[in-house]
Amino acid sequence: MKDIHESGEDYLEAILMLQKENGKVRSIDVARRLGVSKPSVSRAMGILVSHGYLTISQTGNLELTEKGQETAHEVFGRHILLTDFLMTITGVGYEQAEKNACKIEHDIDDDVKNGIVKWMIQNTDCTGCNGSEKQSCYLASQNKCRENSKKTDKERRKTK
């Protein structure tokens, strides 16, 4: 059984993204990113620390443990994959696809995720990057892109 809930995954994902953007992450940064109160972040950080996902330095910086990094990358990978998938199958824009991906990324199991990966590989020119310029392509990050596709995002959109 998973020892982390959806909100915990959201916190880990936010910490990962803030680390990539700023290097160091403090509780206030997480509160601002997620639009929650500082006491809510403090409580969540305590839970994440107690479950081994996070440490807090003496200066107050939040640091993902190896377990935290692994979980955060998995959640973020599902987020990117679902954003790309939703853009591909529905034709909606990045922001709408990303908003919806955020809602469902916690609920899919590995079989569904793997099925989406397989579908994206078989049915897209560049395995789903589809213009999600703000994020890296999930399949590319997993070395699953087709080698023969060198099209730009604009070129891919024109062929759809």
Side-chain angles (χ1 to χ4, degrees), residues 33-52:
R33 170 63 64 98
L34 295 177
V36 298
S37 69
K38 186 136 175 9
S40 294
V41 174
S42 294
R43 184 178 183 313
M45 296 307 104
I47 293 168
L48 292 173
V49 167
S50 71
H51 286 278

Side-chain angles (χ1 to χ4, degrees), residues 76-102 104 116-117 119-120 123-124 126-141 145 153 156 160:
F76 184 60
R78 286 193 314 254
H79 183 95
I80 294 169
L81 174 65
L82 288 167
T83 300
D84 290 343
F85 180 67
L86 291 172
M87 288 171 59
T88 300
I89 64 167
T90 66
V92 299
Y94 173 81
E95 287 185 18
Q96 186 176 2
E98 196 225 5
K99 189 176 190 179
N100 281 277
C102 197
I104 60 176
I116 293 170
V117 168
W119 188 92
M120 292 292 282
N123 293 286
T124 59
C126 188
T127 60
C129 297
N130 290 319
S132 49
E133 295 141 2
K134 296 180 185 177
Q135 309 289 346
S136 59
C137 175
Y138 172 80
L139 297 169
S141 71
C145 274
D153 292 331
R156 280 195 299 281
K160 299 253 178 219

